[in-house]
Amino acid sequence: MNIKIKYFSDQIEKLEYIDGKSDWIDLRAAENVTLKANEYRLIPLGVAMELPDGYEAHVVPRSSTFKNFGIIQANHHGVIDSSYCGDNDQWFVPVIAMRDTKIAINDRICQFRIVENQPRLTFSEVESLAAKDRGGFGSTGKS
């Protein structure tokens, strides 16, 4: 699958799919950011993409983002649908700083993958479900 991409910065590395390592692709800060503890900020990621119809991008923090920068992604899991595909539709990640921090241009701060949209669903109300009852709490059924 070929994805059209527009870069808003020549200071970030170009996106790269590394076959065999992970199917998540790193995204980088497109500007220097300084945050104080508890500050919120939309950090530009320096890219816009034209996703194929029927697909969306899921954006999440990298496993080292909190350790390295002390930030958490405010929406925890961002979804970018295929309609967000114009020349000015730059991707951003909303973050909250848990400590004073600095993020430099080109720092890898989040990652994304492209997935097919959920199929169209319908729901049928029933009086009882046929599956075994697990007790109503987590995977063990115990509180």
Side-chain angles (χ1 to χ4, degrees), residues 7-39:
Y7 288 93
F8 290 83
S9 171
D10 59 1
Q11 296 182 14
I12 60 172
E13 290 183 30
K14 304 292 188 201
L15 296 189
E16 178 180 15
Y17 182 82
I18 302 172
D19 197 26
K21 184 174 180 187
S22 172
D23 60 354
W24 290 85
I25 300 164
D26 289 338
L27 291 164
R28 299 167 181 274
E31 65 183 38
N32 292 318
V33 175
T34 300
L35 293 166
K36 297 283 187 195
N38 299 316
E39 279 188 313

Side-chain angles (χ1 to χ4, degrees), residues 7 16-17 26 35 39 48 57 74 82-83 87 92 102 106 111 114 124 132 137:
Y7 288 93
E16 178 180 15
Y17 182 82
D26 289 338
L35 293 166
E39 279 188 313
S82 62
S83 70
D87 276 337
F92 290 81
K102 291 185 179 187
N106 210 42
Q111 58 190 338
I114 296 174
S124 301
K132 180 182 176 192
F137 187 86

Side-chain angles (χ1 to χ4, degrees), residues 120-140:
R120 185 160 198 90
L121 303 173
T122 60
F123 297 93
S124 301
E125 186 174 350
V126 298
E127 291 294 322
S128 178
L129 301 173
K132 180 182 176 192
D133 191 343
R134 297 178 2 171
F137 187 86
S139 62
T140 64

Side-chain angles (χ1 to χ4, degrees), residues 2 4 86 88 92 99 106 109 132-133:
N2 184 53
K4 293 179 183 176
N88 294 307
F92 290 81
R99 59 175 162 84
N106 210 42
I109 57 172
K132 180 182 176 192
D133 191 343

Side-chain angles (χ1 to χ4, degrees), residues 36-67:
K36 297 283 187 195
N38 299 316
E39 279 188 313
Y40 167 83
R41 175 84 184 271
L42 285 173
I43 299 178
L45 299 172
V47 297
M49 293 182 219
E50 189 175 309
L51 302 178
D53 286 339
Y55 287 83
E56 61 195 23
H58 292 193
V59 179
V60 299
R62 297 180 74 243
S63 60
S64 61
T65 298
F66 184 78
K67 175 181 67 80

